Amino acid sequence: MQFTAEHTEWGRVDITLDDLGCGRSWEEIHRVRGVQLVCPECRGQVFPRVSKLGTRHLYHRTRPPSCSLANESLEHHLLKLELVTCARAAGFRAELEIAAPTGEWRADVMVFSPDGNRLMALEAQLSPITAEQIAARTGLYERDGVRVCWFGIRPRPWVGTVPTLLVQAPAEQGQTWTVAAGLARLSSPPEGWSPVDATLSDAVAWMLTGRILPHTPRCRSRKVTYGNEWCEWAGGWTASCSDSWRLWWTTPAYVALDAELVRQEEEDRRRRQAEEKAAARQREAKAREKARKKAAYAAFWSRTGLDQQQWRYFRALAELFFSRNLVFGAPDSRYGDGRPVYERSGPEGERWTLVGVACPDPCRLRAWAEELPLLVPSHGDLTVLAGRAWAPFQVYVLDPETGVMDRERVMPAAVGS
């Protein structure tokens, strides 16, 4: 079964058209003696007839084994007929079996733009072909400035690697062809791609008018699924369960939304990276501060000769003596490596007031020693501080060994003498 032929005088004959594409009629060739029609591929004679379903077609009296038109399956011919019918119904000029001037490709259906240029090829691909072969054939169309869509009805490994629509033939006469897979929409907020149901006629009209276009998804949702079901869209249409569709037909609005989602994902990625770097820097700073405090504490214990138990007694004596809620900070180089002493006040202890310095290094006293009380654990420390005094110091001796608590005002040596 085929639909095109050539006549010596009339030229190309397309029996899907009322005027056969050459200003003639079906009645002038059907059951008319002496009409010579030849196959455009093998040049063998073909004859017009009507099938049991009422479909007009041409046939070879003896099928030549090397002619691809003669050996195409019935479903292939019927799908081509449906595609050309859909294109014409959408208001476009469409012709069957149009070959490139170079002979490198032959479109099942070629749709033409209003200015007469080739607009789009509609290819019924039902015979086996590899993904590499169909990619090469698609590349030939793209090279010649012709868009293409491949239509299939059975599982194939190439499905979704090139612009594809999978279709289903009507179960009964009078019903319409439908799209089984190949159309998808993107939800917003993004929950993924979901399939779109459509008739083949609508889908062909949409692609010819630019309402849909083939799109390779870019955002994280790169699969089409049926709602909350785990299975991927068009499961069973590809060669194996591990194969995935790479592109599908969707509207320009969803293409734009996909690009916006990619932009948002990129912003989120950069933000996460910045947050991770900031967190890493913070961890490093905390680690350095922890190491610094550890070294400062080690130096503090070594210099003062106090152990943990003695220090607990020292703190208890300080709180008892001052009758305040005191907090002792870490050794601080700003206060001669002593530990700053704070008083906590307020309803929830949210106010900290610096009230003194515990166990400062006598060799590193500065102006703050004139204003802040100095807390030491022994009278020996008091004597050392007295030897370093250049102004009156307020010193509290809180001896953890004896429990003695004294308050002394240390005067500079010159003043004292």
Side-chain angles (χ1 to χ4, degrees):
M1 176 185 286
Q2 63 189 75
F3 305 104
T4 61
E6 292 183 6
H7 187 276
T8 306
E9 297 178 2
W10 304 344
R12 177 181 168 85
V13 175
D14 185 341
I15 63 171
T16 64
L17 296 170
D18 290 338
D19 67 350
L20 306 186
C22 59
R24 300 289 175 166
S25 66
W26 173 252
E27 288 72 22
E28 291 182 74
I29 64 172
H30 185 226
R31 296 180 177 178
V32 176
R33 292 180 179 275
V35 177
Q36 296 289 325
L37 299 175
V38 297
C39 174
E41 180 174 330
C42 69
R43 313 307 298 177
Q45 188 173 7
V46 292
F47 303 89
R49 70 180 176 187
V50 179
S51 72
K52 294 179 180 179
L53 298 178
T55 303
R56 300 188 308 192
H57 64 277
L58 303 167
Y59 71 98
H60 291 73
R61 183 160 290 171
T62 302
R63 178 180 296 181
S66 60
C67 180
S68 61
L69 289 177
N71 289 283
E72 286 178 345
S73 65
L74 175 60
E75 59 186 359
H76 191 137
H77 288 296
L78 292 178
L79 179 52
K80 286 196 301 183
L81 181 59
E82 183 64 23
L83 291 174
V84 76
T85 301
C86 291
R88 291 168 181 169
F92 290 84
R93 173 185 152 215
E95 296 184 11
L96 291 159
E97 306 299 343
I98 296 298
T102 61
E104 292 180 278
W105 50 259
R106 186 185 66 210
D108 287 335
V109 176
M110 180 60 70
V111 183
F112 296 87
S113 60
D115 60 7
N117 292 324
R118 293 174 304 204
L119 176 65
M120 189 171 189
L122 308 179
E123 287 281 6
Q125 187 58 48
L126 307 186
S127 59
I129 188 175
T130 67
E132 292 75 18
Q133 289 171 328
I134 205 167
R137 290 176 60 184
T138 302
L140 292 176
Y141 280 118
E142 292 175 348
R143 181 202 63 188
D144 293 342
V146 180
R147 294 187 292 140
V148 62
C149 181
W150 301 87
F151 296 81
I153 61 175
R154 289 185 177 85
R156 299 298 184 200
W158 56 266
V159 166
T161 63
V162 292
T164 305
L165 280 185
L166 297 176
V167 299
Q168 288 182 340
E172 298 178 4
Q173 189 174 5
Q175 295 180 337
T176 60
W177 288 69
T178 57
V179 175
L183 292 171
R185 62 165 58 93
L186 182 60
S187 61
S188 178
E191 296 176 357
W193 293 87
S194 56
V196 174
D197 296 327
T199 64
L200 178 57
S201 179
D202 283 342
V204 169
W206 295 341
M207 66 175 60
L208 294 178
T209 55
R211 293 179 60 186
I212 58 174
L213 65 162
H215 174 62
T216 299
R218 300 174 57 203
C219 66
R220 286 177 295 178
S221 301
R222 293 186 174 89
K223 293 183 178 181
V224 179
T225 56
Y226 292 97
N228 295 324
E229 298 181 18
W230 67 269
C231 60
E232 185 180 348
W233 173 46
W237 285 107
T238 51
S240 68
C241 294
S242 62
D243 291 336
S244 297
W245 286 55
R246 300 176 191 171
L247 74 164
W248 42 78
W249 291 86
T250 192
T251 67
Y254 291 127
V255 174
L257 177 58
D258 190 28
E260 174 61 19
L261 293 176
V262 171
R263 186 191 65 78
Q264 294 177 5
E265 288 176 4
E266 182 61 23
E267 287 185 356
D268 291 342
R269 184 187 64 81
R270 288 195 295 266
R271 176 182 52 78
R272 289 193 301 270
Q273 288 181 341
E275 291 175 351
E276 290 171 358
K277 289 181 180 179
R281 289 194 296 268
Q282 189 175 22
R283 288 193 298 270
E284 291 173 359
K286 287 182 178 180
R288 289 193 298 269
E289 180 63 15
K290 183 177 180 180
R292 185 196 66 76
K293 286 184 177 181
K294 183 177 180 180
Y297 275 115
F300 179 83
W301 301 127
S302 176
R303 178 173 57 77
T304 61
L306 297 173
D307 58 28
Q308 294 289 341
Q309 184 174 359
Q310 291 172 328
W311 177 253
R312 285 194 295 270
Y313 289 156
F314 179 82
R315 290 183 54 176
L317 290 173
E319 292 191 336
L320 178 64
F321 189 85
F322 289 99
S323 300
R324 299 176 185 175
N325 184 13
L326 301 180
V327 176
F328 290 75
D332 196 324
S333 60
R334 295 174 297 175
Y335 301 105
D337 292 330
R339 299 182 64 172
V341 183
Y342 301 94
E343 178 187 4
R344 293 185 62 176
S345 58
E348 298 181 1
E350 70 277 8
R351 292 193 296 270
W352 287 28
T353 304
L354 182 63
V355 297
V357 179
C359 308
D361 185 345
C363 298
R364 302 189 61 191
L365 301 178
R366 298 293 183 269
W368 48 264
E370 303 175 22
E371 303 173 0
L372 294 172
L374 308 178
L375 285 63
V376 295
S378 69
H379 284 83
D381 296 308
L382 173 64
T383 302
V384 174
L385 288 175
R388 295 281 183 175
W390 67 83
F393 295 164
Q394 190 72 30
V395 181
Y396 293 86
V397 178
L398 308 169
D399 193 331
E401 296 292 339
T402 63
V404 171
M405 297 180 289
D406 288 333
R407 175 180 176 182
E408 299 284 348
R409 186 170 178 79
V410 174
M411 304 300 292
V415 176
S417 61

